[in-house]
Amino acid sequence: MTGSFNYASQLPDYVDFIRPERTQSCNGLGGRFHSDMKVLLRILLRVVLRVRVLGDLAPFEQSNRILVAAGHRSMLDALLLALFLPRDPMVVVPPEDMRNPWLRRTLSLAAHLVLDVNNPTTAKHALRVLRSGRPLVMFPEGHVHSGYGVGKVYPVPALVALRSGAMIVPVHVEIEQGWLPRARIRVQPPTRIDGGPAASGRRRRAFATRKVGAILQSMALRVHAVKPIFECVLDAIARYGRRYPIIEDQNEEPHSYGELLRGSLAISRWVRRRTAPGENVGLLLPNAFGSVCALLGVCAAGRVPAIFNYSSGPLGVESGATAAAVRTVITARKFVEQAKLEPLLEALGDRTILYLEDVRAEFGLADRLWLAAFALRFPRLAMARRSSLDPAAVLFTSGSEDRPKGVVLSHRAVVTNVAQVAAVFDFSPQDKILNPLPIYHAYSFTAGVVLPLITGVRLYLYVSPLRYRAIPEIAYRRGCTILFGTSTFLSYYARHANAMDFSRMRRVISGGEKLSPEVGRVWMEKFGLRIFEGYGSTEAAPVISLATPANFRRGAVGHFLPGIDHVLEPVDGIDKGGVLHIRGPNLMLGYYRYERPGVIEAPRSSVGEGWYDTGDVVEVDADGIVTISGRIRRFAKIAGEMVSLDMVEHVAREASPEHHHAAILSVQDFGGETTVLFTTDPRLHRAQLAEAARSLGTHDLTVARRIVHLPEMPLLPSGKTDYVGLKALIEGDTFTRLLAAAGANPEQQSAPNQVGAPPTSNR
């Protein structure tokens, strides 16, 4: 080891990987030989790995106490940091790294300590180095973490940062594999950890650990390359190879990156001849491999895919096409026939309809030569050049309050949101995602399609989430390890699944609606799986917060993702939390509205320009855990009190956990507001609700004033409850006539299910 300090006395007793004489100061001829060997090793690594140090190195000269917090993705990290960071830092090396003989010999040329960050005595040795004025490098994750996201963060490095008051410099080491590997050491802006809350030592230690974890997550986000989506896919192809199997669909034939590239480039050339650069091109397609090729092909052609929600009906599709100024729509004849979507095509009027089945017939000899001799060899030259700030996709709102709006997401928003999720959630290319949700929803589009394509996580894209018996079987037979779903769909899967169907599943993520506590309980008892709940909005591309193993709390949605700023706006009558406003790189470019076709309306809220008002009432506790109280529009003012309709539903679930419930607000004839509960439990009555409210300790106003029994709860294709349909049901003549004819308590009436509920489908 080099340096003027004698660190032999600082080695703990359990370290036996380095002989004590190697820790002595090197002087005289031996010291010069040692120094020369170190220089030669540095030159060798610089040539072989093309090592470059990027970022501002000024903090190393500005502070006497520097703690480098580094992610640990490779055995070479310690060696590279020891040799190439300024001021000859001391590197704390995990004991398991030293089992590698080559690394053990090369590290003997650099200043290092073999210490276990899980051992409390490590803090004493680390503090001694920092107080001596020498920079110290530590790996807060403790060992090599091969997956995406930040792994377990040990408290010892956080405790060292807190006690020493050192400036923390996050450093990311990236080693790109290939014929010519290269290493990049990216130095991030420095930060510090303040004293934290005036609490017990355990609380302060937990606070510091959480802060260090957040620093590593923010670093992972900043170093993620933000490029157009198709370029990110090309980067993944270069990383994993064209033979790498990336997608399966219901045909259960794995498709490789090479097949995906070929299909995408072919469609891009076909689309270019029929559309203008930058044009919004409508997509009316199911969950299938060909649909992904079409999506990427439109992006590669420099056009913007506008993905229609075909379940919204002719009016919804036509309104969306008008708002986004769509002139051309791509679909498939087979899909139109099987899904009976002819009325949607008729509603599109004189817009040009293109069918994917025609690509092969219209792809001539010149096109084939272009594809084989040029595009497949040089895909980056064959694609249209786009900026990461350009629109990447247009997704449409449900239109529950007005005509559907087009949400314009930039390439930066989508790719950043993928990077935000990757920074906090543990997944790797060894995983396989099962995504049955339609890709016209932001949840499915970003997390269920774009994320696996650019991270190398294999994807099983299933055609429909409504096939409750087929999906558990697919999860088992195809070895899926990650499942995306909504609370309602997950409840149906659990009901129809064998206890072994999800035995290979590692993570289950719920989004799109609030997770029912009963669904979480059933999954834990039947499959031994904890459901992690996420929260988001189409306007945020869509994930805003996500529960993970590190921040799980029942009923909450984890921490805000790194890079997201938030403000809680107080609401009269609501004591805890407030309306959430957010800002961040994953926020939309703006809206397309029906009244101003093709014009992007930038986001703004009462907080200011560039902020988005989510309309959700949110509470954030001292640990940064986010809890969603409900939509501000789903609060009723009854007897001067603000009552959450979500809490009305929660009371119903407590009283009848085996059934589905939905609460809406009804305006009475005299102008007041009342709550109406729809339930699939034919025996549920108000006395049971009152008893459940007392057991939960909630106000009696959370007991629904009216109860309507339904044979099945109407759902949207995303799995969310169809509140618009329920509201139309009670406001229509049907419900009024039922009540008038009965002349009795509405609790005893069972209104017909006029809004289509999902079928209990077989395979």
Side-chain angles (χ1 to χ4, degrees):
M1 218 180 261
T2 61
S4 58
F5 301 99
N6 184 345
Y7 293 99
S9 61
Q10 297 177 3
L11 287 171
D13 296 336
Y14 60 85
V15 174
D16 59 358
F17 297 101
I18 300 179
R19 293 194 298 270
E21 58 267 24
R22 291 187 179 178
T23 66
Q24 303 297 323
S25 300
C26 298
N27 300 302
L29 293 176
R32 285 194 296 272
F33 175 78
H34 184 281
S35 180
D36 292 342
M37 291 298 295
K38 182 176 179 180
V39 171
L40 288 175
L41 180 59
R42 186 184 286 118
I43 293 173
L44 177 64
L45 290 173
R46 193 180 293 276
V47 171
V48 173
L49 294 179
R50 297 184 292 164
V51 180
R52 289 185 60 192
V53 180
L54 307 174
D56 185 10
L57 301 180
F60 284 89
E61 306 300 329
Q62 295 171 354
S63 176
N64 289 329
R65 292 187 181 181
I66 295 289
L67 176 61
V68 174
H72 202 11
R73 296 297 181 271
S74 167
M75 288 286 189
L76 289 177
D77 292 345
L79 181 62
L80 293 174
L81 293 175
L83 293 177
F84 291 97
L85 284 182
R87 291 178 54 191
D88 192 26
M90 176 71 70
V91 180
V92 175
V93 184
E96 54 264 38
D97 287 12
M98 299 301 292
R99 295 191 178 100
N100 185 304
W102 183 88
L103 184 64
R104 185 164 65 244
R105 292 188 180 93
T106 52
L107 270 177
S108 66
L109 301 174
H112 69 285
L113 289 172
V114 183
L115 298 171
D116 185 356
V117 295
N118 193 34
N119 192 311
T121 61
T122 297
K124 178 179 64 175
H125 303 290
L127 287 170
R128 192 177 302 168
V129 174
L130 283 173
R131 288 165 183 164
S132 72
R134 191 170 198 171
L136 181 70
V137 177
M138 298 189 77
F139 300 105
E141 293 170 283
H143 60 277
V144 175
H145 180 68
S146 58
Y148 289 97
V150 176
K152 175 182 177 180
V153 176
Y154 286 88
V156 168
L159 193 61
V160 170
L162 188 63
R163 289 183 178 178
S164 66
M167 180 182 291
I168 302 175
V169 179
V171 173
H172 178 79
V173 182
E174 179 181 3
I175 302 177
E176 297 181 7
Q177 304 295 331
W179 291 104
L180 292 174
R182 63 177 184 176
R184 297 291 180 264
I185 300 174
R186 303 181 187 274
V187 180
Q188 303 295 311
T191 185
R192 294 182 188 273
I193 297 179
D194 58 28
S200 65
R202 178 177 297 179
R203 291 282 297 173
R204 294 179 72 242
R205 185 166 59 250
F207 166 82
T209 305
R210 189 170 65 251
K211 286 293 185 181
V212 170
I215 290 170
L216 294 180
Q217 291 172 358
S218 297
M219 177 178 66
L221 175 62
R222 284 195 295 265
V223 301
H224 194 282
V226 178
K227 302 177 181 179
I229 292 173
F230 192 73
E231 279 194 63
C232 291
V233 174
L234 293 181
D235 289 343
I237 294 174
R239 187 180 310 118
Y240 297 105
R242 297 192 180 190
R243 295 184 179 180
Y244 184 87
I246 185 65
I247 295 180
E248 296 178 53
D249 57 15
Q250 63 177 356
N251 295 324
E252 298 193 356
E253 295 180 2
H255 297 278
S256 67
Y257 267 128
E259 294 175 90
L260 180 67
L261 182 62
R262 177 182 291 273
S264 302
L265 291 172
I267 291 175
S268 74
R269 186 169 176 86
W270 180 66
V271 167
R272 287 190 198 204
R273 288 202 292 260
R274 292 160 175 79
T275 59
E279 179 181 338
N280 294 333
V281 178
L283 295 185
L284 197 64
L285 294 168
N287 282 17
F289 174 71
S291 304
V292 179
C293 290
L295 173 66
L296 292 181
V298 171
C299 290
R303 280 62 171 169
V304 182
I307 308 175
F308 290 128
N309 179 348
Y310 46 79
S311 70
S312 62
L315 179 60
V317 171
E318 191 279 330
S319 298
T322 299
V326 171
R327 301 192 299 269
T328 305
V329 177
I330 298 175
T331 186
R333 289 188 181 90
K334 186 176 180 181
F335 175 57
V336 172
E337 293 171 2
Q338 291 182 346
K340 297 180 173 57
L341 299 181
E342 291 84 358
L344 271 63
L345 298 187
E346 293 175 5
L348 291 171
D350 58 356
R351 294 176 176 86
T352 302
I353 307 298
L354 303 178
Y355 295 95
L356 288 179
E357 290 90 343
D358 297 336
V359 175
R360 186 180 298 274
E362 298 176 8
F363 216 67
L365 178 60
D367 299 319
R368 289 183 170 85
L369 289 174
W370 172 86
L371 181 63
F374 173 67
L376 287 174
R377 291 176 180 270
F378 311 103
R380 296 181 192 272
L381 298 178
M383 71 180 187
R385 288 292 173 185
R386 304 287 286 172
S387 165
S388 62
L389 298 178
D390 289 336
V394 181
L395 305 176
F396 296 94
T397 62
S398 62
S400 59
E401 301 163 14
D402 200 349
R403 287 182 179 269
K405 299 187 290 289
V407 179
V408 187
L409 299 175
S410 67
H411 291 274
R412 182 182 75 159
V414 177
V415 173
T416 296
N417 202 229
V418 170
Q420 289 170 320
V421 173
V424 304
F425 210 80
D426 61 322
F427 61 91
S428 74
Q430 281 69 50
D431 285 308
K432 179 186 284 188
I433 291 174
L434 172 55
N435 177 27
L437 302 175
I439 60 175
Y440 55 70
H441 284 288
Y443 176 23
S444 177
F445 172 76
T446 299
V449 175
V450 179
L451 182 148
L453 291 182
I454 68 179
T455 60
V457 179
R458 292 166 297 163
L459 170 65
Y460 192 107
L461 195 61
Y462 194 63
V463 68
S464 171
L466 301 178
R467 299 183 179 179
Y468 308 129
R469 290 184 174 87
I471 289 172
E473 172 65 17
I474 288 169
Y476 178 76
R477 192 174 68 251
R478 306 308 296 174
C480 299
T481 61
I482 297 176
L483 173 64
F484 292 138
T486 65
S487 178
T488 302
F489 288 151
L490 292 175
S491 70
Y492 284 121
Y493 301 155
R495 183 180 304 174
H496 293 92
N498 181 279
M500 286 295 295
D501 283 340
F502 296 109
S503 60
R504 304 183 185 184
M505 197 65 61
R506 200 172 61 84
R507 294 283 183 261
V508 180
I509 297 95
S510 173
E513 63 176 334
K514 189 174 181 61
L515 177 64
S516 165
E518 178 64 14
V519 175
R521 183 191 65 79
V522 169
W523 273 78
M524 178 58 72
E525 291 183 358
K526 188 171 184 178
F527 310 114
L529 287 169
R530 175 184 288 173
I531 298 178
F532 295 94
E533 187 175 4
Y535 161 68
S537 168
T538 303
E539 290 82 353
V543 189
I544 297 173
S545 70
L546 180 62
T548 69
N551 60 31
F552 179 84
R553 187 174 298 172
R554 193 176 302 278
V557 291
H559 292 146
F560 288 113
L561 296 183
I564 294 180
D565 299 324
H566 71 278
V567 170
L568 298 183
E569 183 180 24
V571 180
D572 291 338
I574 299 177
D575 297 331
K576 295 182 178 180
V579 176
L580 176 66
H581 299 250
I582 62 167
R583 179 181 64 181
N586 59 315
L587 195 61
M588 65 176 177
L589 291 175
Y591 286 124
Y592 283 134
R593 294 187 184 273
Y594 183 83
E595 297 76 16
R596 302 181 65 195
V599 178
I600 299 178
E601 178 186 300
R604 73 177 313 278
S605 75
S606 58
V607 177
E609 296 288 342
W611 288 82
Y612 167 62
D613 180 356
T614 65
D616 294 315
V617 178
V618 170
E619 181 183 354
V620 183
D621 67 12
D623 295 327
I625 300 291
V626 181
T627 303
I628 312 299
S629 301
R631 299 283 293 170
I632 188 63
R633 288 183 293 273
R634 284 183 53 76
F635 277 82
K637 195 161 189 178
I638 301 175
E641 298 284 343
M642 295 293 285
V643 179
S644 169
L645 296 180
D646 290 341
M647 183 55 69
V648 174
E649 294 176 357
H650 182 50
V651 169
R653 286 193 296 267
E654 178 71 15
S656 177
E658 300 295 329
H659 291 268
H660 292 88
H661 316 277
I664 66 171
L665 186 65
S666 175
V667 179
Q668 302 177 95
D669 294 338
F670 53 84
E673 294 179 333
T674 189
T675 50
V676 179
L677 178 72
F678 290 85
T679 178
T680 59
D681 185 351
R683 296 180 177 82
L684 184 64
H685 51 79
R686 292 195 74 238
Q688 291 174 273
L689 296 178
E691 179 63 28
R694 282 193 293 271
S695 67
L696 291 173
T698 66
H699 200 284
D700 59 2
L701 292 176
T702 59
V703 176
R705 291 303 183 260
R706 291 181 179 178
I707 300 177
V708 179
H709 301 99
L710 297 176
E712 285 185 323
M713 190 63 64
L715 302 178
L716 298 171
S718 63
K720 297 180 181 180
T721 301
D722 186 1
Y723 289 105
V724 177
L726 293 176
K727 191 175 179 70
L729 184 62
I730 68 167
E731 291 178 349
D733 292 337
T734 302
F735 188 67
T736 304
R737 287 199 305 269
L738 281 171
L739 295 181
N745 192 325
E747 291 181 16
Q748 300 171 352
Q749 306 306 316
S750 179
N753 184 9
Q754 295 185 342
V755 190
T760 304
S761 172
N762 292 323
R763 211 174 291 226

